[in-house]
Structure formats: structure tokens, C-alpha cells
Amino acid sequence: MRQIRRAAVIGSGVMGAQIAAHLANVGIPSLLLDLVPQELTAEEQKKGLSLDHPAVRNRLATEAIRRLNKLSPAPLFRADYAKLITPGNLEDDLHRICEVDWVIEVIVESLEPKRQLLERIERYWHEGMIVSTNTSGISINAMVEGRSEAFRRHFLGTHFFNPPRYMKLLEVIPGRDTDPAIVEFMRDFGTERLGKGVVLAKDTPNFIANRIGTYGLLVTVEEMQKGGFTVEEVDAITGPALGRPKSATFRTLDLVGIDTFVHVANNVRQNVTDPQEQRAFEVPEAIQKLVERGWLGEKSGQGFYKRVKQNGQRQILVLDLDTFEYREQKKIASSALEASKQAKGAAGKAKALLQGGDRYAELAWNIVKRVLVYSAEKLGEIADTIQDIDAAMRWGFNWELGPFELWDALGLVETAERMRAEGLRLPSWVEDWIAAGHRAFYEEKDGKLTMPVNGKPEPVRVPAGVIDLAALKKAGKVIAQNTGASLIDLGDGVACLEFHSQNNAIGPDILTMIEKSVAIAEKDFAGLVIANQGKNFCVGANLMLILMAAQEGDWDEIDLSIRQFHRAMLALRYSQVPVVAAPHRMTLGGGVEVCLASSRVLPAAETYFGLVEVGVGVIPGGGGCKETARRVAESVGPEDDLVPALARMFQAIGTAKVSTSGAEALAMGWLRETDRVVVNDDLRISAAKAEVLRMAEIGYTAPPKAKEIRVAGRDGKATLQMAARSMWNGGYITDYDLHIAYKLAHVLAGGDVPAGSLVSEDYLLDLEREAFLSLCGEPKTIQRMQHMLATGKPLRN
């Protein structure tokens, strides 16, 4: 079977280094090669190095690797993963590519240098080695003119979007001679190993996402100028109101780089033959003017927006395209925008905006209708399926709905009638599809989603292993449910507990469903998965309920809530069938406690994991402190000192540290060696299901009840409190942070018992509950809770 065990990345610029970083993230070592410098730096001269010294010759790649851990957002899941990248240079080390399975070319976006490099690569190429180019729009076929047939069979485009770790899209672009088996392998490899959303693009200028995205941006500027709209008005319309990112149009251009956008637009204009399309990709004079002035966006400090400091406060000014001067942003009043804000879901918001009836609704419609028609015109030219086009725009530009999904949401037949009435000509295949009686592009047939392929409904491609909870619920697979959660039958004897409260915050309804789900799973299933497909796994306990009870002084209510939380977590921990938690993205507070109580944890790569309760003035109260103390005791020998390991966890909880990835959560000690990271979030639930079945097959046995847990006691508590006081003395924490830290130290160390004492699980839970309750009665905790609910940010009072 074909495998990629080792890779080489040629070109250590921003993209090359970050592609190497993402390979490291998934455990693939790589060579990172670049040019040999022709001049010494001042530092190299000071060290007495010569141009022949290896440190000088490898400098470009070495510095690129060093920069990886300084970038934000971080390209690496963990800082130490950088050791999987080996620096080198093209003169001394190109021959080493014969050792790898995949070579990725990531040099300057220019055809001739790429051709020359591929000629050199072929000298060391061996049968079976895959070679790809990370180009954003240069012809794949043109690059390999003159290369051997065997080399061309193994060559294709692999266009990563920037930054490679975070952007899901990977466009795979076969050449005329690329072996179909290699295309299929790269699609599967990109999905399963790299965690990408892979689309197959045709070898056309700018492929799929950049072709449609650039067209949409140019159309937006054109319609803006026609209607006399301002930059901030356009961004208000073309952001979340239309199911697009908050960066909307002009903020996106600033982030991408206005010069980069111009390069991409010019690439299409110079390589298409239709005069009308060439005109559509002409860069507006205003954007050309920005490039001439060097106002390129974020990288130059100003573009369509500019950050300034006025009267001691930071402010973002906006560019007036009439005067080319920066001014304060104006507030926008629009009934269509308000209607969009009130609507639910991307489809509802877009529909409300476009039907809003004011000038902003008209602007949105004038942009959208042209993008929809253009996308339909390009089907068959840039991609074979509407699914690939939609996915490319969702994954590459972070649209919530792709063009055809949006068209369906607005009503295919109704919008088509409106377009015709306004003089737009629809592609013949769309007219034929509607004439055949179809009222949408995506339709359900025999329980499966279909789409038009060559004029006939064909099943939408679903990668192996993708489980859609919404589809299962629609198919009647719900076993039990309440307002906060549902228990869903995943098939093969596995059930899934899905949270669906607001923000997936844990309240009494979810706790009730946890206990109920464990009881049902123990009776009728091989095991239980805890996962959902919301924006975040769980942001913690329902803070509003706790705050209301604290303000009313209803301590009995809070006490009952904590006891219910403890009972639910113990039900998970001692379940007679395996429980596998599969968290993703924000997994905080109570969400972490659910994971700690589970038999296994399979986090998505992008999981941000931490006990952050100190930010709202309390300590973990759902068993998190008890579970931390237990895990620390189990992680060291029976006679070893508990304090060093306990101090690390104390600091993480006391500073509300959150992991930057699932892999870092493992390194921080929150996860165990038996837990593992799932790189592709789409495969997270199926991986958890498979883990349940594997554990059940080998004979899962529930852990014995923890009768005795060794604790650090009063001596350990004193050490932890001393560390907290040192931070306070240094000005790192506030007086109230110190007060909370003392409470936390008391619980984690097991109170005032002698060091090394053996205590019961119930004893630790009682300490936790008492500390949590006492902190809820503090005015500064009330202030922290109120501030978090009002602003979403912690208060350092």
C-alpha cells in the first residue's frame, strides 16, 4: 500500500515553512530546503563564519523553522514538533529527496522558476515518489512540459490555503497525465492524515476558491461604486449577515494583502480568453492606487482600514475612497441588517437580508445574484461538481454556505425568475434542471442527498467515516432527549450523547441526560460516545444559573447543582460500558470535567482545553479538582513526591491556562497516553465510535471505585500557596486571584491532612464543593461572573 512516511518541502517562505509545520503536526518528518545565501549577515560575520559554513548555507530554512514558534496563530500543535523538520539547502541537499515519498514545491509564484526546479527534482526522482506544487493558480500542465511521462503521472497540484494548519481547504489539481490512483490517494491522504477538506479542481486559472472568491470581491467593489456605498457599509452587508466571516470584503483584503489580491486577479485576466470575463477581472483604479502607495493592508499597517491611537485609545479608521483619507467609521442603520441579525442560521440570515427591502438589501442582492450565476457558469470548467465548488468556498473563504447551497436557501426557482426578470441569462444547465421539475440543486432521494451531475441527480460524495448527527436525528435515531441534550443511535451498538443547549453550557438538563444516557448505554449498548457538531464542544457550566442563585443567596440550590454534577461525573467514570468523549474547539470548565470523567478522550486537533473557572471567581466544581488530584497520584510512584506534578496542574488551573491544540492538552497532562488526537474534525465521531467498539471487543472493565487517593496534604498545600504568593509578589496575579489560589491549593492538596495521607473520593469532592460554595458568596466572584456574561471576557478584580 502507498504511504507517505517522509516528505520534502522546497521553499521555506511563509507557506513552505507552515506546510512543513503541518506535516510535523501529523507526525511526518520533512526536509525543508531553500536557496544558499550569497551574503553573510552581520551576526554571521561577528561569529567569523564563511559562506561555506553549513549554518550559513542552511540559514534560510533554519530561520524559517525558528520563526514557527514565534508566529501567531501558532502553526505547530506543539512547539517541540519543530524537531521533525530538518533544514537544508538546494545545492547540498537536493539529492536527499530520493529518501522521501512526497516532494512539495513551494517557491516563488512564477512559471519559469518552477519549471527549472522540477527539472532538477526529476534527476533524483524515483518511481512512486509523488511530486506536487503548492501554487495558487499557475497551470499544472505548463509546469511539467518537457518532463518524462512517468514523472508527469506522479505530479499534481496541492494548493493549501494560508495558514495551512487552520484553513481546511486543500485543492487537489490533477494534470492531464496524472495517474488517477495517485489523485485518489492524495484525496484520501489529505482527508484522513492531514485533516483537510479536499476538493478536486481543474487546471484552470486560480482553480476553484480563488476564482470565485476573487470574482465576488471585484463584483462587490463594482456594485459598491455604482451605488455610492462606503467601505464600512459594504463590510456590514457582506459579513455574517450574508453568512460570510466578520472580515467581510475589505477587512479580508487587508488580511490577505491587497497586492496579493491584485496578483491573483491579474492571473485570471491574463489567462482567460473570454473578453467579458477579462473585463470582470480588471482591478479597479482605487485598488491599484492602494498598491502604488504601498497601502497593502495588515502587512504595511494600512489598507482599507488603519489602526491608530487617539487620546490614549486604540481606534480603527476606515479609508474614504473618494478623498483617500482615513476617517472614523460611521454606524449603519438598516432594516435589512436588523432583520438578518434577528434571523437564525446562515440561510435565514441571508434570506432576511436579501428580502429586507432597503438599499442595503438591494446591494446584497446585486452582488449575490452575479456570484451565483458566475459559479453556475464555471461548473465543468473549474470543477466537475457543485459539491466541490460549495465546499471550496466554505473551507477556503469561510463562507457558511457555498454558492449553490445559498441559492437553494433563497429558493432556486424564485431567484431564477427574479434573475431573468432583471436581464440575467442563466446557464443552460440550470434552466434545464429547473425545467425538469427540480426545485433545488440538492435534493433528498431515498434518504440520500443528491445533486445534479450531467443533468441527472447523483449522490453527494460523503467521505468514509463521516457521521452527521443532524441526519441521524432526522432519520429517527433519537433514543432519548430533553432541552439540553439528545441520545442518538450511531448504529453497531454505540450511542452518542449530544449537547445542544445554548453554547452547549452544562445545566441540570444535560446532567440529567448524562445519568440517563449511561443507564441506557449500560443496558442496551456496547458503549457511549459524548460528542456534538456545534461551534464548540462545551464552554462550561451554565454560569447564568449559578449567578442568579448566588445573587439570591440560594446556597441550597447551588449545593444541589454541585452534587448533581458530581453524581453525573461519577456515573461516567464508573460506567459499566466504555465512554469516549470526542471534544472539539472550546472545551472549558465543565466540558473538561466531562472529558476527565470519561474512559477515553479523542479530541479534535483544534481543541482548546482548560479548567478556567478562576476567571469567574471560583474553582472547578464538577469533579475537576478531585480528578486532577487523583490523576497526579496515579502518575507517580507510590513513594514519589506528589508536589512537582501537582504544582504544574495547580499553575494551569490557577492561571486558567487553555491548550492551543488537542496535542498540547496531552502534553499539559490533561489527557492520558491512551487518548489520541483526531486531526480531521469530520472524522472525530466515527473515530470515537470505533474506539468504543474496540474497547468493548477486548473486554472493557469499569475502573474500581477509588477508595483511597494519596494526597500532598498540608505540606503540599503550603508549597502551592507559597508559589501563588510568589506570583502575587511579582504582580502577576491580583489579591483576589491569590485568595482563589489558596482555596484551590487547599482542595488539590487534600486539605490539612499529613503529607501522603490516603483520602476517599467523597472527601475530595466535599472539599471541592465547600470551596466552590464559599467563593460563590464573595462579592468579587459575583462581579467576575457578571462581567463574563456581559462581555465574554474575564475580569481581573
Side-chain angles (χ1 to χ4, degrees):
M1 291 179 64
R2 184 183 296 278
Q3 290 188 7
I4 292 176
R5 299 182 182 88
R6 187 172 172 81
V9 179
I10 302 180
S12 66
V14 172
M15 281 302 289
Q18 293 201 45
I19 288 172
H22 192 60
L23 292 174
N25 286 336
V26 299
I28 298 175
S30 66
L31 270 172
L32 182 62
L33 307 181
D34 212 316
L35 298 171
V36 174
Q38 299 302 305
E39 293 181 358
L40 294 172
T41 65
E43 186 179 349
E44 288 166 344
Q45 290 174 353
K46 190 176 178 181
K47 290 180 179 178
L49 302 179
S50 69
L51 286 172
D52 293 329
H53 195 283
V56 176
R57 295 178 72 78
N58 295 341
R59 183 214 307 153
L60 295 180
T62 301
E63 289 187 350
I65 296 168
R66 190 180 299 124
R67 282 194 299 270
L68 289 173
N69 283 319
K70 296 179 181 178
L71 294 175
S72 181
L76 292 161
F77 290 162
R78 283 172 43 178
D80 60 334
Y81 284 4
K83 67 179 181 290
L84 287 173
I85 310 171
T86 303
N89 68 77
L90 283 167
E91 292 182 19
D92 304 327
D93 303 300
L94 187 58
H95 69 279
R96 296 179 63 188
I97 66 172
C98 66
E99 305 164 5
V100 309
D101 306 300
W102 181 22
V103 175
I104 314 166
E105 171 274 305
V106 201
I107 65 168
V108 62
E109 272 293 85
S110 180
L111 178 59
E112 198 51 41
K114 289 179 183 290
R115 276 179 171 165
Q116 292 171 6
L117 177 58
L118 292 173
E119 182 180 2
R120 294 178 65 189
I121 288 172
E122 188 170 12
R123 295 173 197 166
Y124 304 102
W125 180 81
H126 60 76
E127 183 70 30
M129 178 198 291
I130 296 171
V131 181
S132 71
T133 174
N134 181 69
T135 177
S136 60
I138 297 176
S139 171
I140 305 303
N141 291 305
M143 279 188 218
V144 285
E145 288 176 1
R147 305 279 57 77
S148 69
E149 182 184 346
F151 186 88
R152 295 198 307 272
R153 281 202 313 270
H154 291 76
F155 181 76
L156 72 167
T158 50
H159 180 208
F160 290 82
F161 272 59
N162 189 26
R165 168 183 166 180
Y166 299 95
M167 293 301 290
K168 187 170 182 176
L169 180 61
L170 174 63
E171 290 178 321
V172 169
I173 313 103
R176 278 189 296 268
D177 301 315
T178 310
D179 183 344
I182 286 177
V183 176
E184 200 58 33
F185 169 78
M186 289 304 293
R187 172 187 261 182
D188 292 342
F189 173 81
T191 301
E192 296 165 13
R193 189 73 187 275
L194 299 180
K196 294 295 171 189
V198 180
V199 300
L200 292 187
K202 303 241 182 165
D203 187 18
T204 55
N206 290 57
F207 313 128
I208 303 174
N210 278 339
R211 183 76 168 269
I212 291 174
T214 303
Y215 176 83
L217 285 163
L218 290 167
V219 162
T220 300
V221 176
E222 184 183 335
E223 294 295 338
M224 165 193 181
Q225 292 174 331
K226 280 183 189 175
F229 291 92
T230 63
V231 167
E232 67 265 45
E233 285 178 319
V234 170
D235 274 358
I237 294 300
T238 58
L242 205 53
R244 310 277 173 82
K246 289 180 181 179
S247 56
T249 298
F250 295 109
R251 183 78 185 112
T252 295
L253 282 171
D254 276 359
L255 291 168
V256 168
I258 296 166
D259 55 336
T260 301
F261 169 76
V262 169
H263 170 79
V264 171
N266 285 337
N267 186 58
V268 178
R269 185 173 56 80
Q270 292 162 7
N271 289 285
V272 295
T273 55
D274 179 15
Q276 186 175 343
E277 191 167 13
Q278 288 175 339
R279 286 193 296 273
F281 281 88
E282 288 179 358
V283 177
E285 184 182 343
I287 293 180
Q288 294 281 20
K289 195 172 177 180
L290 283 167
V291 174
E292 289 166 9
R293 293 191 177 195
W295 297 358
L296 307 179
E298 284 284 302
K299 59 186 173 185
S300 67
Q302 64 190 98
F304 289 100
Y305 293 93
K306 182 180 181 180
R307 297 176 191 272
V308 297
K309 200 169 184 179
Q310 294 183 346
N311 302 322
Q313 292 188 334
R314 295 184 184 277
Q315 193 175 3
I316 300 176
L317 303 180
V318 66
L319 184 66
D320 188 316
L321 293 181
D322 292 328
T323 64
F324 252 71
E325 293 179 354
Y326 290 94
R327 58 166 174 78
E328 291 186 4
Q329 297 184 53
K330 297 175 182 176
K331 289 187 177 179
I332 294 137
S334 163
S335 58
L337 271 175
E338 285 304 313
S340 176
K341 288 176 185 176
Q342 298 302 318
K344 291 187 177 180
K349 288 180 180 299
K351 198 167 186 177
L353 174 68
L354 292 164
Q355 296 176 352
D358 63 13
R359 64 190 292 263
Y360 296 105
E362 184 180 0
L363 170 65
W365 168 249
N366 287 338
I367 294 168
V368 165
K369 69 181 180 183
R370 293 176 63 182
V371 173
L372 298 185
V373 171
Y374 183 77
S375 301
E377 288 173 346
K378 295 298 117 182
L379 180 66
E381 179 183 337
I382 63 174
D384 283 329
T385 70
I386 64 170
Q387 181 184 8
D388 277 332
I389 293 175
D390 279 340
M393 299 316 298
R394 281 189 278 105
W395 296 334
F397 275 71
N398 290 324
W399 291 8
E400 290 192 57
L401 298 170
F404 299 97
E405 292 166 328
L406 177 58
W407 206 334
D408 277 354
L410 300 176
L412 170 60
V413 176
E414 298 83 351
T415 50
E417 288 175 358
R418 184 176 174 183
M419 289 172 183
R420 291 190 209 101
E422 293 175 4
L424 263 69
R425 183 177 177 181
L426 300 181
S428 58
W429 77 265
V430 175
E431 293 286 21
D432 292 344
W433 184 253
I434 294 172
H438 299 285
R439 299 193 63 82
F441 292 115
Y442 295 100
E443 298 174 311
E444 199 168 301
K445 187 177 181 181
D446 299 328
K448 292 185 177 180
L449 200 62
T450 64
M451 61 181 172
V453 177
N454 297 323
K456 295 180 180 178
E458 295 287 345
V460 166
R461 182 181 184 274
V462 179
V466 172
I467 292 175
D468 184 344
L469 294 181
L472 288 174
K473 290 164 78 173
K474 192 174 180 181
K477 299 295 183 181
V478 176
I479 302 160
Q481 65 181 348
N482 63 19
T483 55
S486 297
L487 187 65
I488 304 163
D489 188 348
L490 296 182
D492 301 315
V494 180
C496 177
L497 176 60
E498 174 205 36
F499 301 165
H500 47 65
S501 61
Q502 187 173 359
N503 294 321
N504 288 341
I506 298 175
D509 46 2
I510 286 181
L511 295 173
T512 298
M513 275 300 299
I514 288 174
E515 292 189 78
K516 185 173 184 178
S517 296
V518 170
I520 292 172
E522 287 178 332
K523 180 175 178 289
D524 299 324
F525 289 87
L528 178 67
V529 167
I530 303 179
N532 63 71
Q533 292 170 324
K535 183 178 179 181
N536 298 301
F537 176 72
C538 175
V539 297
N542 190 322
L543 188 60
M544 178 61 79
L545 293 179
I546 298 170
L547 174 62
M548 289 171 60
Q551 286 176 320
E552 293 170 6
D554 194 344
W555 312 121
D556 288 342
E557 179 66 27
I558 298 175
D559 182 74
L560 285 171
S561 296
I562 300 169
R563 291 177 186 275
Q564 184 185 16
F565 212 130
H566 287 169
R567 196 168 61 244
M569 296 306 100
L570 291 172
L572 289 176
R573 171 154 174 74
Y574 297 114
S575 166
Q576 296 304 301
V577 294
V579 177
V580 177
H584 68 289
R585 298 193 68 80
M586 300 305 290
T587 302
L588 306 175
V592 169
E593 289 169 319
V594 166
C595 293
L596 296 181
S598 299
S599 319
R600 288 280 189 282
V601 185
L602 268 60
E606 299 302 334
T607 299
Y608 316 124
F609 201 90
L611 292 172
V612 297
E613 285 84 351
V614 295
V616 291
V618 292
I619 65 168
C625 291
K626 177 271 297 181
E627 193 62 24
T628 299
R630 184 186 67 78
R631 289 190 176 206
V632 166
E634 291 177 354
S635 71
V636 301
E639 303 298 326
D640 292 342
D641 186 2
L642 291 165
V643 174
L646 192 64
R648 288 193 295 273
M649 305 311 290
F650 171 70
Q651 184 177 30
I653 299 171
T655 58
K657 185 176 181 181
V658 177
S659 75
T660 60
S661 67
E664 192 182 42
L666 186 62
M668 288 171 64
W670 291 124
L671 305 180
R672 296 157 295 194
E673 290 184 3
T674 50
D675 300 328
R676 62 184 174 87
V677 174
V678 180
V679 181
N680 190 329
D681 186 56
D682 292 340
L683 306 179
R684 174 173 45 90
I685 295 176
S686 63
K689 175 184 173 182
E691 184 68 11
V692 164
L693 292 172
R694 188 193 68 79
M695 294 171 72
E697 185 178 358
I698 62 176
Y700 176 77
T701 304
K705 293 285 175 74
K707 293 180 179 178
E708 295 180 328
I709 299 170
R710 187 163 69 95
V711 294
R714 66 173 72 96
D715 294 345
K717 170 182 169 180
T719 301
L720 298 182
Q721 290 182 340
M722 189 183 304
R725 192 162 192 86
S726 177
M727 291 187 71
W728 176 79
N729 286 332
Y732 297 107
I733 61 175
T734 67
D735 292 354
Y736 198 58
D737 289 329
L738 182 64
H739 176 66
I740 299 168
Y742 272 30
K743 296 268 187 182
L744 177 63
H746 178 75
V747 178
L748 289 179
D752 292 317
V753 297
S757 293
L758 299 176
V759 301
S760 70
E761 197 167 32
D762 287 341
Y763 168 79
L764 285 173
L765 288 174
D766 284 343
L767 288 183
E768 184 179 291
R769 179 171 49 82
E770 289 163 6
F772 188 96
L773 272 167
S774 69
L775 287 167
C776 283
E778 300 270 5
K780 288 189 176 181
T781 287
I782 301 293
Q783 291 169 10
R784 288 194 176 195
M785 290 183 177
Q786 290 172 329
H787 191 269
M788 178 62 76
L789 288 169
T791 68
K793 296 177 182 179
L795 173 67
R796 297 294 304 280
N797 59 349

